[in-house]
């Protein structure tokens, strides 16, 4: 899980993000995405795609796994963080990431800022931590499915949180103003307050 490490972000190219997105898309149908499937989804040649996959695995944005039946890659939390940050940055919602404000059993919270240096809070949902494994029994995110990715459950949690926060804010309840969300990241107004 760990802290959000932004050091690698500046060195990633469009190809790296295409491969990360391809693995994310492959994970809709596969727990472990074979390398041979990533190349056609990313629209890259097989050799070039393998090089990018190895680089992403070296930086721990992807994890290489091998079982008796299949070998391939799966997206890590860090890779999912980078995909969400890239999208939010391209929408010009955020342009910089600051210090970590808090860690909970469901999420990590960071201070972020936009081009105008206006600060927001960014909540990265982290469902699936060991202290939160009974989630599937307590929440209805997965409906009637038996297997589901923790990354996908985090995405659903963020989507629902943003929708509820927006509904409450629009009706005058004392909640932070929701700004935007993508994947498992929710951007909201930063409030000065005390626990």
């Amino acid at each position: 899980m760990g802290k959000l490490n932004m050091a690698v972000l500046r060195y990633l190219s469009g190809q790296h993000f295409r491969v990360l997105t391809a693995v994310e898309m492959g994970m809709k149908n596969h727990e472990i995405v074979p390398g041979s499937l990533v190349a056609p989804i990313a629209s890259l040649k097989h050799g070039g795609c393998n090089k990018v996959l190895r680089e992403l695995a070296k930086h721990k944005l992807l994890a290489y796994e091998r079982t008796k039946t299949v070998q391939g890659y799966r997206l890590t939390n860090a890779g999912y963080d980078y995909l969400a940050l890239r999208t939010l940055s391209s929408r010009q919602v955020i342009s910089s990431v600051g210090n970590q404000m808090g860690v909970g059993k469901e999420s990590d919270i960071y201070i972020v800022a936009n081009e105008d240096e206006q600060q927001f809070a960014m909540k990265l949902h982290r469902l699936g931590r060991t202290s939160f494994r009974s989630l599937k029994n307590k929440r209805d995110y997965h409906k009637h499915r038996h297997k589901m990715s923790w990354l996908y459950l985090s995405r659903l949690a963020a989507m629902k949180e943003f929708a509820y926060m927006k509904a409450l804010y629009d009706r005058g309840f004392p909640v932070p103003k929701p700004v935007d969300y993508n994947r498992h990241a929710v951007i909201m107004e930063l409030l000065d307050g005390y626990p």
Side-chain angles (χ1 to χ4, degrees):
M1 301 291 168
K3 290 183 85 171
L4 182 61
N5 182 5
M6 301 303 298
V8 183
L9 187 60
R10 73 179 75 182
Y11 303 110
L12 297 183
S13 67
Q15 277 190 342
H16 290 96
F17 282 103
R18 279 171 56 188
V19 170
L20 280 174
T21 305
V23 172
E24 178 188 27
M25 291 170 68
M27 285 181 68
K28 289 179 182 174
N29 299 322
H30 300 80
E31 211 170 305
I32 299 171
V33 184
S36 59
L37 182 64
V38 176
I41 295 173
S43 301
L44 294 172
K45 291 183 180 170
H46 192 68
C49 185
N50 282 339
K51 180 183 174 211
V52 174
L53 283 167
R54 283 193 307 273
E55 287 175 15
L56 292 170
K58 183 179 88 174
H59 295 301
K60 296 184 173 58
L61 301 179
L62 293 177
Y64 178 77
E65 294 190 5
R66 182 183 209 137
T67 65
K68 289 180 181 177
T69 56
V70 69
Q71 60 186 13
Y73 297 88
R74 68 172 176 76
L75 202 55
T76 62
N77 278 324
Y80 208 49
D81 293 345
Y82 275 36
L83 285 170
L85 290 170
R86 165 89 177 222
T87 303
L88 291 166
S89 176
S90 67
R91 290 184 195 164
Q92 298 179 343
V93 175
I94 62 170
S95 63
S96 63
V97 177
N99 294 334
Q100 186 173 23
M101 285 175 39
V103 178
K105 63 180 178 181
E106 283 190 60
S107 61
D108 295 338
I109 301 169
Y110 293 86
I111 296 175
V112 295
N114 62 11
E115 291 284 330
D116 303 327
E117 297 183 19
Q118 182 181 4
Q119 291 188 339
F120 302 107
M122 176 177 67
K123 184 175 183 180
L124 297 173
H125 285 262
R126 301 271 194 233
L127 301 186
R129 288 190 171 155
T130 51
S131 63
F132 209 62
R133 294 286 173 152
S134 62
L135 166 98
K136 289 183 180 181
N137 301 329
K138 296 178 182 174
R139 307 248 174 113
D140 66 343
Y141 297 154
H142 55 69
K143 304 284 184 224
H144 302 292
R145 290 184 180 172
H146 296 290
K147 288 201 169 207
M148 184 159 282
S149 160
W150 290 108
L151 296 176
Y152 184 66
L153 287 174
S154 296
R155 179 186 204 130
L156 291 177
M159 184 177 68
K160 285 188 176 203
E161 179 179 0
F162 185 82
Y164 289 131
M165 195 184 311
K166 184 160 177 40
L168 291 170
Y169 184 81
D170 291 346
R171 286 163 182 80
F173 284 86
V175 296
K177 179 182 179 183
V179 177
D180 200 358
Y181 81 98
N182 183 265
R183 291 177 174 89
H184 67 310
V186 178
I187 308 294
M188 63 190 84
E189 173 185 27
L190 182 64
L191 298 175
D192 258 346
Y194 300 94

